Amino acid sequence: MDCPSCAGKVETSLGDLDGIARYETRPTAGTVVASYDAATLSARDLVRAIERAGYEVTSVSGDARADIESPAGETTAGDAPESVWRSERAIKTGVSGGVALVGLLVEFVTTGVNAEVASVLGRELFVADLLFLAAVATAGATILRSGYYSLRNRTLDIDLLMSIAIIGALAASLGFGAGLYLEAALLAVLFSVAELLERYSIDRARNSLRELMDLSPDEATVRRDGESVTIPVGDVEIGDVVLVRPGEKIPMDGTVVEGESAVNQAPITGESVPVDKIEGDAVYAGTINESGYLELEVESEASDNTLSRIVEMVEDAQAAKTEREEFVDRFAARYTPVVVTLAVLTAVVPPLLLTEPVAVELVAGYAHTFPAAWNVWFLYGLTLIVLACPCAFVISTPVSVVSGITSGAKNGVLIKGGNHLEAMGEVEAIAMDKTGTLTRGELTVTDVIPLNGNTEADVLRCARGLEARSEHPIGEAIVEHAADRAIDAPEVRGFESITGKGVEAAVHGTRHYAGKPGLFESLGFDLSHVHAATDGGVVTTKSQQLCERNDCLDLLEGTVPELQSAGKTVVLIGTEDELEGVIAVADELRPEAKATIDRLHDLGVREIVMLTGDNERTARAIATELGVDDYRASLLPEEKVGAIEALDDAYGGVAMVGDGVNDAPALATATVGIAMGAAGTDTALETADIALMGDDLSRLPYLYELSHAGNGVIRQNVWASLAAKGLLAVGVPFGLVPVWAAVLVGDAGMTVAITANATRLGRIEPAELLDGVEGTR
């Protein structure tokens, strides 16, 4: 099933069944998805219906596997088909082509052997004619069989049209002596070649999805009853412990329970650098264990792991029709009947009106002589019949969508429909959440400024003791930072939380405080005159840069505002008598964030807006550092929706990038909702239109460029195929388009060209923005 118009036979045949609830043909994937009442129908009934449409069922998936084996004896979906060029049809086409070539030599080169050998219905048959008839019989049998099924299922497709053309040529030759045996042979042979080329081209487009399906291994090694056994992946159960050796693919989603290793997650998330995995980390089916030995506990069935969900969503995405597809389908539904009618009129009307050749001056100095011979006009009509099927035109959009979606999936970008691919290529504004999208979403210590003779270690040791019992994210960040530097926690007694200001406790018997600058002002400190840390009596370089008088800091007007203006939260550490240090905490920017913003601007995005619930000062600092065009601060979730609506009104479409959960209302409101870091996250995969599987913002410029290129390829394919059909049809009455050109150029040539153009999308790859590579390779 190679094109949407040809799939009509399957749709008609399935539609005649009682008990079928829903069916959907997916020509670009070569599959049919059907839901049916098992009490009324069986899987065998569905297979028989498809076979009545003239197609062979080569694999069965889902619940139907238990009911039936496919004609090939296999029930595993996704198996690679046999090579087009080794198929039975290819062999017959080769034989037929050889016979036709001999016929051409006999008729035009070795004319002496072209003797009369028979007479049928009073018409003489020569050696060459018999050879042409043999070619028709060899290559045409498959065409006529398909044409019969098309007629039976009331589908006016290319098989029925070609059958009409071949039978018409033979009828005119035997019944009226038109001598169109050569034309009938050319139609049969060249159309068979065209079909093989079309099938080969479509298979190339399908291979990208098949590669995704092949990422997961077929077998897994599990520990059962104290022994390691290798079993099919489908037999692995939730809770099983799977053993993965170095270099092996991880067969199931799970959590590491023993071992550590670097895992190549590129097949799922698109990350170019392997990710270190230790006990407790999640791993995904289809990823590759690079170096160490891992044992993982299975958390989902093979049919419900991350890779399976990606494949399923990619298949669903290919089935969803875009606006351009719907336009093409509507156009094609009118195109075929119009051209068939024109073909009939071409074959019948001119011979009735013309008694002798007529010369007509078309443009100054050029005249064309229209023949009066009815057999010439009949051949013109057959040529138009060949051009009446819009296969190449109809497939121009879906094959491009398939290529774009599968290319994205292989690079860690899950696009859940061709309409979203198209829409992303049209947006001129992008809104981006701050926390978790432009930043890492985790607070970290960025600055430690010791004061009054203390060292950085002294400040962190005291801060770790004070914050050890705090549940505030800032306190947790300070404790983690100190622990990473192997700074021990001191003895702490009498811990108390000061609501809205900080904490206090006795450290080594002395009362200490940690909190906002206002807490220390309330304790009577003059924050405008604080002695900086020194190194052997010399002011440290860092303190010297911050201190206006080289031996003291103005915390109130200088240091604190400077840190806050950089989007950082300031925590002071000290006793009732002395300030010991300043610690700044911030949600760090992603290292690729600024390069991503710059690249998006280079690609033509007119407006990039940061949306955040943070305060104005922090939002302004981050917006300035990143170079976004605008920002909105202190936003509640419903206010983010309002910001998206305003951008949509101003630019006629907006993409929203968020974490897929907290930003769900804004993602749903945007023209295109894009979720960050969606691998293994059910909610993000379900809510977003597009999911960036890895926690890597640099995939966003790749997505934007892929969608723009995809839209360009679709436009090129649609208009090129339409123009080719139109020009060929116009040239037919003037004798400019022989029947072989209609077959090879109008059908095979355009299909191959369109598919080749679509596969260019697979060559677009994400760039490593941090390596200084701007753009997309």
Side-chain angles (χ1 to χ4, degrees):
M1 192 167 54
D2 294 321
C3 78
S5 63
C6 301
K9 286 182 286 188
V10 175
E11 294 173 355
T12 302
S13 188
L14 289 175
D16 291 339
L17 295 176
D18 293 327
I20 190 162
R22 183 182 64 86
Y23 58 88
E24 182 178 63
T25 55
R26 301 177 177 180
T28 49
T31 60
V32 180
V33 178
S35 301
Y36 59 96
D37 180 3
T40 307
L41 285 175
S42 69
R44 289 187 179 278
D45 295 326
L46 297 179
V47 171
R48 291 191 189 102
I50 294 170
E51 289 173 344
R52 283 197 299 272
Y55 291 94
E56 179 187 6
V57 176
T58 58
S59 65
V60 180
S61 64
D63 295 338
R65 286 190 189 181
D67 299 336
I68 187 172
E69 281 195 351
S70 71
E74 293 290 338
T75 58
T76 303
D79 290 340
E82 68 171 341
S83 169
V84 170
W85 308 114
R86 292 196 297 270
S87 65
E88 181 182 352
R89 185 166 192 177
I91 295 170
K92 288 182 177 179
T93 301
V95 172
S96 178
V99 173
L101 181 60
V102 173
L104 285 169
L105 292 173
V106 169
E107 180 157 349
F108 297 106
V109 180
T110 58
T111 55
V113 299
N114 192 22
E116 180 182 345
V117 292
S119 177
V120 178
L121 299 176
R123 307 295 176 186
E124 299 173 343
L125 286 176
F126 295 87
V127 173
D129 297 334
L130 290 179
L131 290 170
F132 294 143
L133 286 171
V136 171
T138 307
T142 303
I143 301 170
L144 296 176
R145 175 180 176 275
S146 298
Y148 161 74
Y149 284 115
S150 299
L151 182 62
R152 177 176 172 176
N153 288 281
R154 305 178 299 281
T155 304
L156 190 63
D157 63 5
I158 187 64
D159 294 316
L160 179 56
L161 293 172
M162 287 300 302
S163 297
I164 292 172
I166 292 171
I167 292 172
L170 294 178
S173 299
L174 293 172
F176 306 102
L180 299 178
Y181 301 111
L182 170 59
E183 284 74 11
L186 287 176
L187 284 171
V189 173
L190 295 180
F191 179 67
S192 293
V193 171
E195 287 288 279
L196 293 170
L197 287 171
E198 180 176 300
R199 189 165 301 169
Y200 171 73
S201 300
I202 297 300
D203 278 348
R204 287 183 60 194
R206 291 173 181 164
N207 280 341
S208 53
L209 177 59
R210 196 171 291 118
E211 288 169 7
L212 277 180
M213 300 172 73
D214 290 342
L215 286 176
S216 182
D218 297 325
E219 296 180 326
T221 302
V222 300
R223 180 176 291 125
R224 288 186 176 173
D225 300 325
E227 296 183 355
S228 299
V229 295
T230 300
I231 61 175
V233 166
D235 294 340
V236 179
E237 300 175 355
I238 295 175
D240 278 343
V241 174
V242 174
L243 317 180
V244 187
R245 299 175 180 83
E248 292 182 344
K249 289 182 179 178
I250 294 174
M252 306 287 287
D253 281 5
T255 300
V256 177
V257 293
E258 186 176 326
E260 57 183 57
S261 179
V263 174
N264 181 357
Q265 298 191 150
I268 300 295
T269 66
E271 294 168 287
S272 58
V273 178
V275 178
D276 292 330
K277 298 290 183 178
I278 59 174
E279 186 175 335
D281 287 344
V283 292
Y284 309 120
T287 57
I288 303 166
N289 182 21
E290 293 280 343
S291 53
Y293 169 80
L294 292 176
E295 294 187 7
L296 58 102
E297 183 177 341
V298 176
E299 295 184 342
S300 63
E301 296 180 353
S303 60
D304 194 39
N305 61 37
T306 302
L307 179 60
S308 297
R309 292 202 304 274
I310 291 173
V311 171
E312 183 179 353
M313 288 182 178
V314 169
E315 289 178 329
D316 290 341
Q318 294 176 1
K321 289 190 176 182
T322 68
E323 291 184 7
R324 287 190 178 93
E325 264 186 280
E326 291 174 350
F327 160 75
V328 166
D329 287 347
R330 289 194 301 269
F331 182 90
R334 293 169 175 79
Y335 168 86
T336 299
V338 168
V339 178
V340 168
T341 302
L342 182 62
V344 173
L345 293 175
T346 300
V348 174
V349 174
L352 294 177
L353 297 180
L354 301 177
T355 57
E356 59 183 27
V358 176
V360 177
E361 186 173 351
L362 301 175
V363 293
Y366 175 77
H368 177 72
T369 300
F370 290 99
W374 73 268
N375 60 318
V376 176
W377 287 104
F378 186 82
L379 183 58
Y380 289 170
L382 293 182
T383 307
L384 285 173
I385 287 284
V386 174
L387 293 172
C389 185
C391 277
F393 177 60
V394 171
I395 210 170
S396 59
T397 299
V399 75
S400 305
V401 169
V402 167
S403 181
I405 289 175
T406 51
S407 173
K410 287 190 292 184
N411 286 289
V413 178
L414 179 58
I415 305 168
K416 295 170 63 177
N419 51 334
H420 304 311
L421 179 69
E422 280 189 359
M424 188 63 197
E426 302 291 343
V427 299
E428 295 184 340
I430 297 178
M432 306 178 75
D433 175 51
K434 179 185 78 70
T435 305
T437 301
L438 292 169
T439 66
R440 292 187 182 278
E442 299 177 358
L443 292 175
T444 56
V445 173
T446 59
D447 301 86
V448 179
I449 304 173
L451 304 171
N452 294 309
N454 289 283
T455 65
E456 184 174 315
D458 293 334
V459 176
L460 286 174
R461 184 176 295 107
C462 184
R464 180 176 183 180
L466 289 167
E467 298 287 3
R469 299 183 185 179
S470 172
E471 296 181 355
H472 195 282
I474 293 176
E476 292 176 354
I478 292 174
V479 170
E480 183 178 354
H481 183 78
D484 288 343
R485 280 151 184 76
I487 296 175
D488 297 330
E491 180 185 354
V492 174
R493 295 181 181 275
F495 174 85
E496 291 184 23
S497 175
I498 306 172
T499 305
K501 291 186 177 180
V503 297
E504 63 173 302
V507 180
H508 294 309
T510 303
R511 202 70 182 167
H512 278 74
Y513 299 86
K516 297 178 179 179
L519 170 62
F520 286 85
E521 286 186 298
S522 67
L523 293 174
F525 279 89
D526 179 8
L527 299 182
S528 64
H529 190 85
V530 181
H531 288 281
T534 62
D535 182 11
V538 179
V539 178
T540 60
T541 303
K542 188 168 188 177
S543 298
Q544 186 172 357
Q545 292 171 346
L546 295 171
C547 182
E548 294 180 358
R549 295 185 289 279
N550 280 353
D551 60 356
C552 57
L553 300 175
D554 183 349
L555 295 181
L556 190 62
E557 298 295 334
T559 306
V560 171
E562 286 176 9
L563 292 171
Q564 289 177 335
S565 66
K568 301 174 182 179
T569 300
V570 174
V571 177
L572 302 184
I573 309 295
T575 66
E576 294 178 343
D577 303 316
E578 181 183 65
L579 278 173
E580 297 177 346
V582 179
I583 298 178
V585 178
D587 183 3
E588 277 190 313
L589 289 175
R590 292 181 181 274
E592 74 274 14
K594 185 165 189 344
T596 296
I597 300 298
D598 292 342
R599 180 57 186 157
L600 287 172
H601 278 136
D602 293 341
L603 290 172
V605 180
R606 291 172 55 193
E607 187 80 0
I608 301 177
V609 179
M610 183 184 75
L611 307 181
T612 179
D614 270 355
N615 61 71
E616 174 76 18
R617 176 181 287 179
T618 300
R620 182 171 59 250
I622 292 177
T624 301
E625 184 173 353
L626 289 176
V628 297
D629 300 298
D630 199 0
Y631 67 91
R632 310 275 198 279
S634 304
L635 295 179
L636 297 173
E638 58 269 24
E639 292 173 326
K640 286 187 178 182
V641 171
I644 293 294
E645 291 173 341
L647 286 169
D648 191 15
D649 292 339
Y651 293 95
V654 59
M656 169 67 189
V657 188
D659 62 14
V661 181
N662 298 330
D663 298 305
L667 289 170
T669 304
T671 310
V672 182
I674 305 171
M676 278 284 295
T681 307
D682 292 341
T683 307
L685 283 172
E686 294 298 331
T687 27
D689 301 319
I690 298 174
L692 307 183
M693 302 303 291
D695 208 22
D696 184 2
L697 195 60
S698 67
R699 288 295 183 271
L700 191 57
Y702 160 73
L703 166 63
Y704 192 77
E705 185 152 356
L706 177 69
S707 58
H708 266 263
N711 281 353
V713 166
I714 290 172
R715 283 192 293 267
Q716 293 162 13
N717 284 350
V718 167
W719 292 113
S721 57
L722 186 59
K725 288 280 189 181
L727 289 173
L728 289 170
V730 169
V732 168
F734 299 96
L736 300 177
V737 181
V739 69
W740 62 265
V743 176
L744 286 186
V745 179
D747 190 51
M750 285 311 303
T751 298
V752 172
I754 282 168
T755 307
N757 194 36
T759 55
R760 289 193 301 115
L761 297 176
R763 295 200 292 268
I764 300 175
E765 296 180 0
E768 299 298 332
L769 298 181
L770 294 181
D771 290 342
V773 180
E774 292 189 357
T776 307
R777 294 192 301 274

